[in-house]
Amino acid sequence: MTPRAGGAAPAAASARPPLTASPRGSRPHPRPHPGPAALRPSGGHRAPVPPLRGPLRGSGPGGARAGPAGGERARSCPRPLGAPRRGAGMLGAGGAAGAFALLLLPLLLPRAARGVAVCGLCPGPPRNGSIVARFCESRRDTESDGRCCRERGPTPGRLLGLDLSNCSLHSVPPGLAEATTAIVLDLTENPLTTLPSGSFLGFIHLQSLAVPLALQCPGGSDAWQDVTADRSSRLCQGQRNACNSSVGLAWPCPENSVCAPDGPGLIQCLCASPFHGYKCLREDTFPMLLFGGILGTATVSLSLLLWGTQRRKAKTP
């Protein structure tokens, strides 16, 4: 039959196929809706089916779902919107106490243990012939720890000597502040240009200091009993107490305080008992019980607050 001009294609080409009757003769079953893989383009060719990415669920033996051993990649269920992540409530009282302990760990460690880092600024032990090596050899109760000389013991003992010679130091390393217990210190054969006045703050036990020849002894010659120089270094020996020096102090200590040494040419003013506070103006004892009670109450309250808030978030579905 010739189609009409300008008309549509025959209706049989676009009509749905007839419904098939079930074997029992009951109500007919509609034909399943064709999926994306069964769609045909208008040209009559089958549309390409995209390849599957991985095995299907239920493709294991016997139709059961294949687990991770069957080759299927484990899939996790999506987390509901607003639900807390796993482990969100772990930061309770224990977590707060652990974080607080980590913050206080550098303060709780003894000064001898905190000075371990400065011993590794240069490789190897103290150099043979240095003032540190000679000092350690003269004492039987010492042992080497990198470039340090320590008191012998089961735990890292007190640091007695530090050899930083020939370490290519252009400035005083920040870790030097952890070696305030040193008696002997060697800084020779380094391209140092200056020694800041506060570099040896707290070095009240220092008795022998070797510096490059271009530098002067810290605190000046009046801060040491003996200053000698050779071809490449300067040796400062016998630190003097600046409080007992004949040279007048740069600033006098306030009333109710006493002068105490704080390094080569450095002093500190300590409050005399029972004075304390700003400029040692308070005459009563320090309220240790009140201070400890307030600090303990604040710590416990903060821990309980964190525990309660994090626990509530963990229980939220």
Side-chain angles (χ1 to χ4, degrees), residues 91 93-105:
L91 186 59
F100 187 70
L102 290 177
L103 292 177
L104 293 181
L105 184 59

Side-chain angles (χ1 to χ4, degrees), residues 233-267:
S233 63
R234 191 183 306 274
L235 182 60
C236 316
Q237 289 182 313
Q239 181 183 172
R240 289 178 175 174
N241 188 347
C243 298
N244 300 333
S245 176
S246 58
V247 181
L249 300 178
W251 61 88
C253 289
E255 190 179 359
N256 304 326
S257 65
V258 293
C259 177
D262 200 17
L266 303 174
I267 64 168

Side-chain angles (χ1 to χ4, degrees), residues 138-306:
S138 64
R139 301 184 54 162
R140 298 182 179 180
D141 59 339
T142 60
E143 59 183 358
S144 296
D145 179 16
R147 283 295 187 101
C148 294
C149 175
R150 294 183 177 275
E151 288 182 344
R152 192 185 307 274
T155 58
R158 187 167 65 102
L159 191 149
L160 301 178
L162 177 60
D163 184 7
L164 296 181
S165 61
N166 197 16
C167 289
S168 301
L169 299 176
H170 293 270
S171 61
V172 177
L176 187 64
E178 300 296 337
T180 54
T181 60
I183 300 176
V184 181
L185 178 59
D186 192 348
L187 295 176
T188 58
E189 301 184 22
N190 285 300
L192 295 172
T193 57
T194 182
L195 290 177
S197 58
S199 300
F200 299 95
L201 184 66
F203 283 73
I204 59 177
H205 304 285
L206 188 62
Q207 294 299 321
S208 297
L209 172 63
V211 297
L213 184 61
L215 300 180
Q216 298 295 327
C217 293
S221 301
D222 296 332
W224 302 89
Q225 297 178 2
D226 187 16
V227 177
T228 57
D230 56 14
R231 292 178 300 178
S232 61
S233 63
R234 191 183 306 274
L235 182 60
C236 316
Q237 289 182 313
Q239 181 183 172
R240 289 178 175 174
N241 188 347
C243 298
N244 300 333
S245 176
S246 58
V247 181
L249 300 178
W251 61 88
C253 289
E255 190 179 359
N256 304 326
S257 65
V258 293
C259 177
D262 200 17
L266 303 174
I267 64 168
Q268 58 180 336
C269 298
L270 303 178
C271 294
S273 180
F275 298 93
H276 65 92
Y278 176 69
K279 290 188 176 181
C280 306
L281 296 178
R282 296 185 179 181
E283 194 175 354
D284 53 347
T285 58
F286 185 78
M288 291 296 299
L289 293 178
L290 179 61
F291 176 77
I294 294 177
L295 180 61
T297 303
T299 304
V300 173
S301 302
L302 181 61
S303 300
L304 292 177
L305 177 63
L306 292 175

